[in-house]
Amino acid sequence: MKAETLSGPAGLAEVRRFVDLEIAPQANTFERAEWIPREVLSRVAELGLWAPFLPSEYGGTAMDMVTLGRVHEEVGRGCSSLRSLLTVHSMVSASVHRWGDQAQQEKWLRALARGEKLGAFCLTEPDRSGSDATAEGTTAVRDQDGWVLNGTKKWITGGQVADLFMVFASTGGGMCTFLVEADRPGVRVTPLPHVSGTTASMLAQIEFTGVRLEPSALLGPQGWAAGTVMTNALGLGRYSVACGAVGIIRAAIDACAQYTSVRSAGGVPLRDLPHVRQMMSGMVTARDAGRLLCERAGALNDAGDPATIMATWVAKYHASKAAVQAAGDAVQIHGANGFSPDYPVARLYRDSKVTEVIEGSTQVQELTIAAEAYREVAQ
């Protein structure tokens, strides 16, 4: 399937119009409110964008990964907070589809595909590095009726509005994944306001105090979640973030092209200044390189190639660093206006920095990618 078309009810051109008319013009408003209105989330559902990669029997359209990447790029161009919600919801939906039993799939997938239920990915502990995926904190203890869940997760994207939490917990014999409804007794959601980036992604801290779960809440293999459910979910998350970072670069290019076409310095249009042209050239090159890397990772994923993992690492590493550079240059080009809430570039800069931290930090990626280079030489 070509990336210029979608297999679902919304074509890529329609997604662009949605972003241009309903998302990008409101993104600064969303940031100030630290909230994305329900009607916007409903529009995402109307367009079939919450989990379009699911098969048709569960309400999806079996969208390929290359096309999904372009969708997340478009949404990221308009609002990284909304793209973040798509990212974590996709991670949950894909995990239930891949690792869930028939009962779990029947219970959740159609509602997730339609956006009737929103999912959130609960991994990070409040007192541990988010990249420390093996750290114990939240625990689940087995009893005769099922499991008892205790612990706290922090920086949970969409946690304020999610209906379903996919929670990673230590069971004493390894890590397990659990599907936990947000309205279960013992679940407490606390908003995390005033963050610096993806401010409208409705972050929350989630506390689980004596939450009782049936045996059917367990998702995937018991004790092996770190190497199975988590690995696959984070891979999809990195891919979405990489594509969203390309969207940020595109937004920076658009903002700067418009701004420098109507502003001047010393009687010279900003667009004609050599240093502005140099920065714009770097943005365009970074955009094209980032998109190619994302498309390669998506194509390998569609082919079931194990090289998908490293290709996704590389795409995310390049795109996130390039987004920070592009957004920083965009602020520089805008001068004092680059710090104003009346222009989008300050938000782009804040949001771009988030892409270097989430789903594997730049520094962790450098260790992983370099290790792969040494393995290739040793072979």
Side-chain angles (χ1 to χ4, degrees), residues 202-284:
M202 296 175 283
L203 290 164
Q205 177 170 291
I206 317 296
E207 298 173 61
F208 305 97
T209 305
V211 179
R212 303 203 64 86
L213 303 172
E214 296 81 7
S216 59
L218 179 67
L219 177 69
Q222 183 173 338
W224 291 92
T228 53
V229 183
M230 183 191 301
T231 298
N232 284 274
L234 289 175
L236 177 56
R238 289 186 193 106
Y239 178 63
S240 173
V241 171
C243 296
V246 175
I248 290 174
I249 300 170
R250 286 180 58 198
I253 294 171
D254 292 346
C256 290
Q258 293 169 11
Y259 187 79
T260 59
S261 294
V262 298
R263 304 279 294 196
S264 62
V268 179
L270 291 183
R271 64 182 297 166
D272 293 335
L273 296 176
H275 60 276
V276 170
R277 296 242 162 181
Q278 180 184 40
M279 286 187 278
M280 290 290 287
S281 297
M283 293 182 205
V284 171

Side-chain angles (χ1 to χ4, degrees), residues 61 72 133 170 181 199 202 207 246 259 286 310 318 334 368 379:
T61 55
H72 286 207
S170 172
E181 295 94 334
T199 309
M202 296 175 283
E207 298 173 61
V246 175
Y259 187 79
M310 185 51 57
H318 167 81
H334 280 67
T368 304
Q379 290 178 351

Side-chain angles (χ1 to χ4, degrees), residues 58-228:
Y58 292 118
T61 55
M63 181 183 289
D64 61 88
M65 284 295 111
V66 173
T67 306
L68 183 74
R70 290 299 298 274
V71 170
H72 286 207
E73 176 189 322
E74 288 294 338
V75 175
R77 175 175 65 86
C79 177
S80 287
S81 291
L82 181 56
R83 191 273 309 148
S84 293
L85 295 179
L86 285 180
T87 299
V88 296
H89 184 86
S90 296
M91 293 164 74
V92 174
S93 301
S95 297
V96 174
H97 180 238
R98 174 156 188 180
W99 302 106
D101 57 32
Q102 185 174 357
Q104 290 169 328
Q105 292 177 351
E106 289 290 336
K107 180 177 181 180
W108 292 111
L109 288 183
R110 291 182 185 86
L112 291 170
R114 291 192 294 259
E116 295 171 357
K117 301 290 184 182
L118 297 182
F121 183 81
C122 298
L123 174 61
T124 303
E125 303 281 336
D127 58 349
R128 290 177 171 84
S129 167
S131 297
D132 187 1
T134 62
E136 295 186 359
T138 299
T139 62
V141 177
R142 190 73 183 262
D143 66 10
Q144 60 183 2
D145 297 320
W147 301 87
V148 179
L149 183 68
N150 286 282
T152 302
K153 300 293 184 177
K154 195 171 184 180
W155 310 117
I156 305 306
T157 298
Q160 297 179 40
V161 293
D163 304 285
L164 178 66
F165 298 125
M166 191 169 85
V167 183
F168 292 87
S170 172
T171 61
M175 184 175 288
C176 290
T177 312
F178 297 91
L179 299 176
V180 184
E181 295 94 334
D183 59 0
R184 285 253 170 180
V187 176
R188 180 183 179 188
V189 177
T190 304
L192 297 176
H194 313 314
V195 295
S196 293
T198 61
T199 309
S201 63
M202 296 175 283
L203 290 164
Q205 177 170 291
I206 317 296
E207 298 173 61
F208 305 97
T209 305
V211 179
R212 303 203 64 86
L213 303 172
E214 296 81 7
S216 59
L218 179 67
L219 177 69
Q222 183 173 338
W224 291 92
T228 53

Side-chain angles (χ1 to χ4, degrees), residues 7-89:
S7 57
L12 194 57
E14 188 175 356
V15 175
R16 286 197 191 104
R17 286 193 296 272
F18 169 61
V19 171
D20 288 340
L21 298 177
E22 302 180 49
I23 300 304
Q26 298 297 319
N28 279 8
T29 300
F30 298 160
E31 183 183 56
R32 287 191 291 271
E34 301 189 6
W35 188 264
I36 297 178
R38 279 287 184 177
E39 54 266 29
V40 175
L41 304 184
S42 296
R43 284 286 290 132
V44 174
E46 290 174 9
L47 293 170
L49 303 181
W50 281 114
F53 48 83
L54 292 175
S56 57
E57 59 263 34
Y58 292 118
T61 55
M63 181 183 289
D64 61 88
M65 284 295 111
V66 173
T67 306
L68 183 74
R70 290 299 298 274
V71 170
H72 286 207
E73 176 189 322
E74 288 294 338
V75 175
R77 175 175 65 86
C79 177
S80 287
S81 291
L82 181 56
R83 191 273 309 148
S84 293
L85 295 179
L86 285 180
T87 299
V88 296
H89 184 86

